[in-house]
Structure formats: structure tokens, C-alpha cells
């Protein structure tokens, strides 16, 4: 028994020695699988080239009978090519690496006389050449494994199939695609077998050497590849973008309606052309233009307008983008200028000093707004960018020169005026002045200037903080790409680094809130209600109904105005009116008569606009309230 055990051990030892000698001679071992045959290559997908032009013999591929292994191998090759795409600039001769990867996953096949099909394994020398050219591939290619990468070839034990030579080990030489590779990449080869780039979703492949795919056409390339970022850029998940679109759509529509209301009220219906009314009207016009950008955008569709094709964001030459960008820019520019004008007017009211003729302010604001629009238009600076809710200036120098620097100057001037107004209010409150009624009339303008100015200030801070972090956001792109390469859900779980959702949401929230803010302060005021009532009362269509309703209430009103300037329009002045109220008691059954008498000071026609603006200096209103005994013959009072 002991003798048999010793003999068995010796045999095992001899076999190991023989194996060692064979392996040392540059051979590896392979397993025989009867379910695999020499079949043709299954082929690349219709829209993604892979190994079709990189295999030595496409007609003899070691494959399972149902070719399911080839389907799996295609997925592996595609993933490998994606990784190689982003190794450009770090590795040499990645095209040769692709030939090797195709050979590994779709090995050439040898048919034996015994009806057994055997694969050729990639030669170790080829593996080492690939790894030497690209050290990053060491992780996935272990060239020291002689069974996968033999020096000479692979031995297959075919003893049971009747093969007796070489102790039953059938020898298959290793595969070396080097000669085939150099023949394929030869410039004279019509196939022009070049390196294949594959971009992981949602990145899109474009050829930046083609003039129509240049970066200035709206593409953001991840250099040195031809992959471009998706549009919109995935700062947030899709549900967050939907929230942004919904907020923008609702607020812009409301802001547009509120601004139109203010324009009609203070620009058309109001018979007073005071500086406040003009400021409110022009500021509302600016918010209408800003809102139009969103209204047009969501009418066409946010993604349809901002991202006209996969991987490309809209630029100025896209008509809808150019038009909406111009609307928004001239709107927000004039908005800033008229906000500053309101700040100066507010300070002039509190300090009670006279400003320059208002027509010069209108001309100045209009000219500056047009200049600040023409400059970015001439530089093709309007575009949607990789992540935004609308088209605007995206070129840094144009953005700074045509908006942010002028905006900063305006904010500074406006802020100084606000501080001075607060100081004046503080002084008046300390002195306990009895005549503080003019000051109370400045509460609404002060709130408007403060709220709108605070919004502009936030936009200013957000923009420059975002610019300061641009390098940080760009540095995080490789991590985003790595996430895409390892993602199993087409990159839906991968996000680029960028501004936080809260900060981004607030930025776009404030740019769409100006019209609503102005309406809530001015459009809901008693002055606005009086303007609408007077307009309706004097309108021939509504006048009879209003008189009838007032008569049912026991009140009859009649609007009248006298003016030596030839105008029959009634001018109201809330800030400088002299109130004279007299009341005499009479019988228990009485009615109220209100008589409005305007001053009869003559006005110079040339300065009529300025006279209307400074109503408190040139017009006064005396309101006399008298109680009169009602009678059968007279039930009409004068308003």
C-alpha cells in the first residue's frame, strides 16, 4: 500500500514538472468547451461601430452556438471603448489597444480534425505593448497570466478525443494582430480604420473638426475628446428642472399680467404724469420685456428652444434665442436704471430738492439701455448656456461690461440714496416733526426701492460667486465622467458640480418677481383704485350704471376740473394737497357734497411735463365738505 502511494506521488510530481516545463516554454493551458464553435462575427450595431473593422478574421470567431456570448462581449467592448475615449491625452496608440480588446473578446477560432473548435489567445507581447503604451490598463489586463496571454500559444488536452501527440496536448498559437493593425491604419487603406470614440450617455459625440460642430456653435466639449456635455447640463435631476420650469412659467405669467395692469393704470388711465407714475410705468415696461422672454420660451418649450438638438445649447443665430435674449436684456437693464431713478426721486422727495427735467432722464435711460443692448448683440453674446432657463449674455466680458458693471454702479448709487433716505427718516422721527404727512407718502416708494434693490443685489452676489467657483466646477468634471462610465442607468444618477439648487432657484425666482412686487406695492394702492374708478366714472359706457348705483346708495358724484392751460383733465396731487374740510350740522336727513377746485396758476406749455411731475409746487386741491339739507327738487351733489 505504501509503495502504491509513493508511486502515485512520484507520478504527480512528474506531471507537475512536465507542466512547468511546458509553461516555461511559453505555453498556457486552455479548457475545451464542446458548446463553442467557429462562427462568424455577429456584427456591430447599426449606429455604433465597434470591432467590425478591427478583427483579423470575422468569419472564424470562437463563439457559443447561439452567439449569446458575442452579445455580452459587445457590451464589454463598448464599455471598454468608452473608457479608452477618456484616456486620450494620457495614453499612446489607443487605437492599437482597441484592436487588442476586440481580439480578447472575439478570439479567432481554430477548427481541429476531431470536430473540436479552439480559441486563439492574445500573445503576451501584444498585451505588454498595450499596457506599456497605456499604464492605466494594467488594472484590467494582467499580462503575467500565461493562460490568458501566452507567449507562444495555448495547449488543450484532447486525449479523450483520440489525440495522442505531445502527450495529448493540442497546441494553438497565440494571436498577434500587430501586422493586421499596421496594414489597417495605412493611409492608403480605404477603410481608414481610426480610433473609435464612444461617449457615455447623456454625453453626445460630435466631430469638432467639422465647421458645423465648432464650439462657438453651442457645443461644450470635454477636451481632448469629441464628447459634448448634454443640454441642459445635469446640475440637478430632471424633477428639479421640472420644478424650475414650473416656477418660471407661473411667476413670469403673473409678472406679465401685473406689469400690464400697472402700465395701463399709471401710464394711460392716470391723468397725472408725476415722476412716480412715470417711474412705475417705465419699470413695468421693463418687467413686461423680461416676462416676454419666459412666455415665448415656454410657448415653444424650454428644452426645444434652449436645447435645439442633443448636446447643443441655443445661440444668438437661433432666432428664438436671439429675440428672447434681447427682450430679457433690455428689460432687466432698463429695470435697473429705472430702479435707480426711483431711488433718486425718493431721496429728492424726502430732501425736497428739485431734480433736472424728467425728459432728460427718460432720454438718458433709453439711450444707455440701447447701447448696452447693441454691444452684446454685435458680439453674438446671447445664448442659453449649458444650464439655464432662458437666453441671455453668456460671454463673460460682454456680461460684465454690458450688464454687471453698469448694474453694480446703479446698485451703488441706489443704495446710497436708500441709506440717505433712512437717515432722513431717522432725523425726522427724532425731531418729532408735526408735518410728517409728506414723509408717509414715501413709504410705498421706499418699500419698492428696498425690495427691488435687494433682489438686484442678490443677483449681483450670485453671479460673481458663481464666476468665482467656475474653476472648481470644471475640476469636478472628471468625477462626473467617471460616474457615467460606472453607471448602470445611463447616467441618470450622475450630476455635475455647480450652484446649489436653492441658490439657483432663488436667482431665477427674483428675476421673475419684479412685476409682482411692483404691482403689490403700487397696483393695489388707493391711488390705483381711484384712477380706475375715475376712468370708469367718466367713461360713457359705464357712467350711467355707476351714477345709478351711487344714487341707490344716496350718493351722487360729479367729477369736474378747471384749468387755464386749456386742459379739461383732472389732476390729483396726493403729496402737496391742502385739505380744507368744513362740516356744518343740519337736519338728520342729509347728503354729502364734495367740491374739488384746482388752482388756476398758468403753466408754461414748454414745461407742462415738468409741471405735472412737480404737482405739489404748481397745483393745490381744496376739498370742501358741506352738509346740506336734502330736498325733493335737488338730490344731486357735486364731486
Amino acid at each position: 500500500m505504501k509503495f502504491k502511494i509513493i508511486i502515485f506521488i512520484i507520478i504527480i510530481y512528474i506531471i507537475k514538472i512536465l507542466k512547468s516545463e511546458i509553461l516555461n516554454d511559453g505555453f498556457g493551458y486552455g479548457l475545451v468547451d464542446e458548446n463553442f464553435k467557429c462562427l462568424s462575427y455577429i456584427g456591430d450595431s447599426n449606429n455604433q461601430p465597434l470591432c467590425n473593422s478591427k478583427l483579423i478574421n470575422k468569419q472564424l470567431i470562437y463563439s457559443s452556438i447561439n452567439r449569446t456570448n458575442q452579445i455580452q462581449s459587445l457590451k464589454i467592448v463598448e464599455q471598454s471603448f468608452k473608457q479608452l475615449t477618456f484616456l486620450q491625452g494620457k495614453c499612446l496608440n489607443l487605437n492599437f489597444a482597441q484592436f487588442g480588446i476586440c481580439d480578447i473578446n472575439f478570439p479567432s477560432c481554430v477548427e481541429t480534425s476531431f470536430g473540436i473548435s479552439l480559441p486563439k489567445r492574445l500573445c503576451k507581447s501584444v498585451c505588454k505593448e498595450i499596457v506599456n503604451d497605456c499604464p492605466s490598463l494594467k488594472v484590467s489586463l494582467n499580462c503575467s497570466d500565461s493562460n490568458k496571454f501566452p507567449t507562444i500559444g495555448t495547449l488543450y488536452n484532447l486525449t479523450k478525443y483520440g489525440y495522442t501527440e505531445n502527450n495529448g496536448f493540442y497546441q494553438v498559437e497565440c494571436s498577434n494582430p500587430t501586422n493586421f493593425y499596421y496594414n489597417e491604419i495605412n493611409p492608403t487603406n480605404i477603410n481608414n480604420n481610426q480610433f473609435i470614440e464612444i461617449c457615455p450617455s447623456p454625453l453626445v459625440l460630435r466631430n469638432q473638426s467639422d465647421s458645423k460642430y465648432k464650439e462657438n456653435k453651442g457645443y461644450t466639449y470635454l477636451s481632448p475628446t469629441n464628447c459634448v456635455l448634454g443640454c441642459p447640463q445635469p446640475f440637478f435631476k430632471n424633477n428639479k428642472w421640472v420644478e424650475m420650469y414650473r416656477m418660471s412659467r407661473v411667476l413670469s405669467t403673473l409678472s406679465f399680467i401685473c406689469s400690464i395692469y400697472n402700465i395701463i393704470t399709471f401710464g394711460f388711465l392716470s391723468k397725472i404724469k408725476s415722476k412716480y407714475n412715470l417711474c412705475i410705468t417705465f419699470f413695468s415696461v421693463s418687467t413686461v420685456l423680461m416676462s416676454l422672454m419666459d412666455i415665448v420660451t415656454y410657448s415653444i418649450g424650454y428644452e426645444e428652444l434652449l436645447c435645439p438638438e442633443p448636446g447643443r445649447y441655443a445661440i444668438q443665430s437661433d432666432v428664438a434665442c436671439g429675440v428672447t435674449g434681447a427682450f430679457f436684456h433690455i428689460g432687466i437693464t432698463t429695470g435697473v436704471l429705472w430702479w435707480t431713478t426711483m431711488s433718486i426721486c425718493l431721496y429728492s422727495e424726502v430732501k425736497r430738492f428739485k431734480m433736472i427735467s424728467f425728459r432728460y432722464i427718460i432720454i438718458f435711460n433709453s439711450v444707455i439701455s440701447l447701447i448696452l443692448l447693441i454691444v452684446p448683440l454685435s458680439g453674438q453674446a446671447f445664448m442659453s448656456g449649458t444650464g439655464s432657463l432662458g437666453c441671455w449674455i453668456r460671454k463673460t466680458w460682454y456680461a460684465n461690461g454690458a450688464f454687471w458693471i453698469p448694474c453694480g454702479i446703479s446698485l451703488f448709487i441706489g443704495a446710497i440714496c436708500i441709506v440717505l433716505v433712512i437717515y432722513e427718516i431717522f432725523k425726522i422721527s427724532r425731531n418729532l416733526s408735526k408735518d410728517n404727512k409728506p414723509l408717509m407718502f414715501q413709504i410705498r416708494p421706499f418699500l419698492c426701492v428696498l425690495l427691488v434693490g435687494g433682489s438686484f443685489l442678490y443677483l449681483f452676489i450670485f453671479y460673481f460667486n458663481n464666476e468665482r467657483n467656475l474653476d472648481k466646477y470644471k475640476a469636478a468634471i472628471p468625477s462626473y465622467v467617471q460616474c457615467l462610465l460606472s453607471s448602470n442607468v445611463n447616467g441618470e444618477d450622475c450630476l455635475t458640480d455647480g450652484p446649489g439648487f436653492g441658490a439657483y432657484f432663488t436667482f431665477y425666482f427674483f428675476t421673475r418677481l419684479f412685476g409682482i412686487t411692483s404691482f403689490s406695492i403700487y397696483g393695489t394702492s388707493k391711488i390705483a383704485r381711484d384712477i380706475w374708478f375715475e376712468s370708469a366714472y367718466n367713461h360713457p359706457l359705464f357712467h350711467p350704471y355707476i351714477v345709478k348705483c351711487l344714487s341707490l346708495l344716496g350718493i351722487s358724484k360729479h367729477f369736474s376740473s378747471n384749468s387755464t392751460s386749456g386742459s379739461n383733465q383732472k389732476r390729483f396731487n396726493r403729496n402737496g394737497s391742502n385739505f380744507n374740510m368744513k362740516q356744518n350740522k343740519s337736519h338728520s336727513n342729509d347728503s354729502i357734497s364734495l367740491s374739488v377746485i384746482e388752482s388756476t396758476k398758468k403753466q408754461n406749455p414748454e414745461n407742462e411735463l415738468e409741471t405735472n411731475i412737480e404737482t405739489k409746487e404748481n397745483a393745490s386741491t381744496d376739498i370742501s365738505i358741506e352738509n346740506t339739507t336734502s330736498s325733493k327738487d335737488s338730490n344731486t351733489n357735486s364731486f
Side-chain angles (χ1 to χ4, degrees):
M1 185 67 181
K2 290 183 180 179
F3 178 77
K4 289 182 180 180
I5 293 175
I6 293 171
I7 294 299
F8 180 77
I9 292 172
I10 292 172
I11 292 172
I12 295 298
Y13 180 75
I14 292 171
I15 291 173
K16 285 185 177 181
I17 291 174
L18 290 173
K19 285 183 178 180
S20 177
E21 287 179 355
I22 292 172
L23 291 176
N24 288 336
D25 287 338
F27 287 91
Y29 277 108
L31 298 176
V32 177
D33 191 334
E34 296 179 0
N35 294 319
F36 276 66
K37 299 294 180 181
C38 293
L39 302 175
S40 61
Y41 174 54
I42 194 174
D44 300 337
S45 59
N46 293 331
N47 42 5
Q48 181 55 68
L50 290 171
C51 295
N52 204 45
S53 60
K54 298 183 185 295
L55 294 172
I56 298 175
N57 189 348
K58 293 187 293 182
Q59 300 305 316
L60 293 175
I61 300 296
Y62 187 67
S63 171
S64 61
I65 296 174
N66 56 9
R67 289 187 171 87
T68 54
N69 73 309
Q70 289 199 48
I71 296 174
Q72 295 299 320
S73 294
L74 281 175
K75 295 179 181 178
I76 295 171
V77 169
E78 183 176 353
Q79 187 65 24
S80 299
F81 281 16
K82 288 178 182 178
Q83 294 175 344
L84 292 179
T85 298
F86 289 93
L87 291 177
Q88 294 179 81
K90 300 177 183 178
C91 299
L92 301 173
N93 207 357
L94 288 173
N95 194 13
F96 183 65
Q98 289 186 336
F99 275 78
I101 289 172
C102 285
D103 195 278
I104 292 170
N105 289 278
F106 298 98
S108 297
C109 185
V110 174
E111 290 183 339
T112 67
S113 57
F114 306 98
I116 299 299
S117 299
L118 302 172
K120 285 185 175 183
R121 300 302 180 188
L122 188 68
C123 293
K124 181 174 290 188
S125 59
V126 178
C127 178
K128 286 185 176 180
E129 183 178 350
I130 293 172
V131 171
N132 289 337
D133 287 342
C134 189
S136 300
L137 296 177
K138 282 184 179 179
V139 177
S140 56
L141 296 178
N142 182 12
C143 298
S144 61
D145 188 342
S146 296
N147 290 330
K148 290 183 179 180
F149 305 104
T151 304
I152 299 175
T154 304
L155 295 176
Y156 297 92
N157 190 349
L158 300 183
T159 304
K160 79 174 193 175
Y161 302 104
Y163 184 71
T164 57
E165 294 182 19
N166 196 24
N167 296 321
F169 287 97
Y170 190 89
Q171 179 179 325
V172 177
E173 66 177 346
C174 63
S175 175
N176 190 338
T178 304
N179 292 334
F180 174 72
Y181 163 74
Y182 284 110
N183 179 62
E184 285 293 306
I185 66 169
N186 192 313
T188 60
N189 191 326
I190 60 174
N191 292 328
N192 194 21
N193 199 337
Q194 299 299 318
F195 175 70
I196 296 173
E197 290 185 85
I198 301 180
C199 304
S201 179
L203 305 184
V204 182
L205 182 66
R206 292 287 182 264
N207 183 8
Q208 57 184 314
S209 61
D210 190 334
S211 58
K212 69 178 181 180
Y213 295 126
K214 290 292 185 183
E215 194 167 1
N216 60 6
K217 299 295 184 181
Y219 298 98
T220 303
Y221 285 94
L222 301 181
S223 182
T225 74
N226 281 309
C227 296
V228 297
L229 279 175
C231 182
Q233 187 170 337
F235 293 132
F236 325 109
K237 292 187 177 180
N238 287 335
N239 64 322
K240 294 296 184 182
W241 281 111
V242 170
E243 286 183 32
M244 297 267 280
Y245 295 150
R246 186 184 300 117
M247 175 274 294
S248 178
R249 185 163 50 246
V250 172
L251 287 187
S252 292
T253 304
L254 290 176
S255 187
F256 179 82
I257 295 171
C258 292
S259 299
I260 291 294
Y261 172 88
N262 279 350
I263 292 171
I264 294 173
T265 303
F266 297 100
F268 293 99
L269 298 182
S270 176
K271 295 180 174 58
I272 312 170
K273 304 305 176 188
S274 69
K275 57 179 174 289
Y276 280 140
N277 286 358
L278 290 174
C279 284
I280 295 168
T281 301
F282 284 117
F283 183 79
S284 297
V285 170
S286 71
T287 56
V288 164
L289 292 173
M290 292 168 63
S291 301
L292 272 177
M293 184 265 289
D294 263 330
I295 292 173
V296 173
T297 301
Y298 73 67
S299 297
I300 296 174
Y302 281 100
E303 293 191 6
E304 287 79 2
L305 190 149
L306 303 177
C307 306
E309 61 184 72
R312 185 175 82 85
Y313 56 84
I315 57 176
Q316 188 171 307
S317 58
D318 297 301
V319 177
C321 180
V323 171
T324 55
F327 277 157
F328 184 81
H329 183 65
I330 197 170
I332 196 168
T333 302
T334 53
V336 171
L337 292 174
W338 282 107
W339 171 82
T340 304
T341 303
M342 291 172 70
S343 303
I344 296 171
C345 290
L346 177 60
Y347 181 62
S348 72
E349 282 296 317
V350 174
K351 288 294 290 183
R352 299 185 182 181
F353 66 81
K354 187 175 181 179
M355 295 176 58
I356 62 172
S357 175
F358 213 76
R359 62 169 54 88
Y360 297 134
I361 296 176
I362 295 173
I363 294 171
F364 175 82
N365 286 352
S366 301
V367 170
I368 293 297
S369 297
L370 287 174
I371 292 174
L372 294 180
L373 173 65
I374 293 170
V375 170
L377 278 174
S378 63
Q380 297 289 309
F382 289 108
M383 54 191 73
S384 67
T386 50
S388 64
L389 293 185
C391 292
W392 196 22
I393 305 175
R394 303 298 171 191
K395 295 182 179 179
T396 303
W397 288 107
Y398 283 100
N400 292 341
F403 181 74
W404 293 110
I405 291 176
C407 173
I409 295 172
S410 294
L411 282 174
F412 180 72
I413 294 172
I416 290 175
C417 291
I418 292 174
V419 170
L420 292 175
V421 167
I422 294 173
Y423 176 69
E424 290 299 324
I425 293 175
F426 176 73
K427 282 201 311 183
I428 293 174
S429 63
R430 285 191 62 183
N431 294 334
L432 298 176
S433 172
K434 294 181 180 180
D435 186 21
N436 62 355
K437 186 170 290 184
L439 183 64
M440 297 303 296
F441 284 117
Q442 312 310 321
I443 294 299
R444 286 180 182 271
F446 177 74
L447 283 175
C448 183
V449 168
L450 192 63
L451 292 176
V452 174
S455 300
F456 278 125
L457 182 61
Y458 176 81
L459 303 184
F460 192 83
I461 294 171
F462 175 86
Y463 172 79
F464 282 100
N465 181 66
N466 193 45
E467 287 292 303
R468 183 173 61 87
N469 290 315
L470 275 181
D471 290 338
K472 172 189 169 186
Y473 300 152
K474 291 178 181 177
I477 290 293
S479 299
Y480 169 67
V481 172
Q482 193 58 45
C483 177
L484 294 179
L485 293 174
S486 58
S487 174
N488 295 321
V489 288
N490 292 326
E492 294 179 5
D493 54 338
C494 300
L495 301 175
T496 58
D497 195 9
F501 177 74
Y504 215 67
F505 186 93
T506 305
F507 176 82
Y508 284 106
F509 177 83
F510 278 140
T511 59
R512 284 144 180 80
L513 196 64
F514 296 131
I516 299 173
T517 301
S518 179
F519 170 78
S520 62
I521 293 174
Y522 289 112
T524 59
S525 66
K526 186 177 185 301
I527 295 176
R529 296 195 299 271
D530 288 345
I531 290 171
W532 279 94
F533 180 82
E534 178 188 351
S535 299
Y537 186 87
N538 289 330
H539 196 281
L541 182 64
F542 303 112
H543 179 79
Y545 300 101
I546 295 176
V547 171
K548 185 175 181 180
C549 290
L550 293 177
S551 298
L552 291 175
L553 296 173
I555 301 173
S556 179
K557 297 187 178 183
H558 173 69
F559 287 94
S560 65
S561 80
N562 301 314
S563 175
T564 59
S565 64
S567 172
N568 292 324
Q569 295 178 338
K570 179 176 177 287
R571 294 182 176 90
F572 288 94
N573 184 359
R574 297 291 177 183
N575 294 346
S577 298
N578 295 321
F579 294 88
N580 181 22
M581 304 180 67
K582 299 177 182 179
Q583 184 174 3
N584 297 318
K585 292 184 180 179
S586 185
H587 301 296
S588 57
N589 216 0
D590 59 8
S591 61
I592 300 176
S593 174
L594 293 89
S595 177
V596 180
I597 306 170
E598 290 192 341
S599 71
T600 58
K601 290 185 180 181
K602 291 186 178 181
Q603 300 179 11
N604 187 340
E606 183 180 355
N607 297 322
E608 185 175 354
L609 173 63
E610 190 66 27
T611 305
N612 288 337
I613 293 172
E614 300 295 338
T615 52
K616 71 176 184 179
E617 295 179 6
N618 300 319
S620 61
T621 303
D622 296 328
I623 300 179
S624 178
I625 303 178
E626 299 179 358
N627 287 343
T628 58
T629 307
S630 61
S631 72
K632 296 179 182 179
D633 300 329
S634 178
N635 57 3
T636 302
N637 300 321
S638 175
F639 182 79

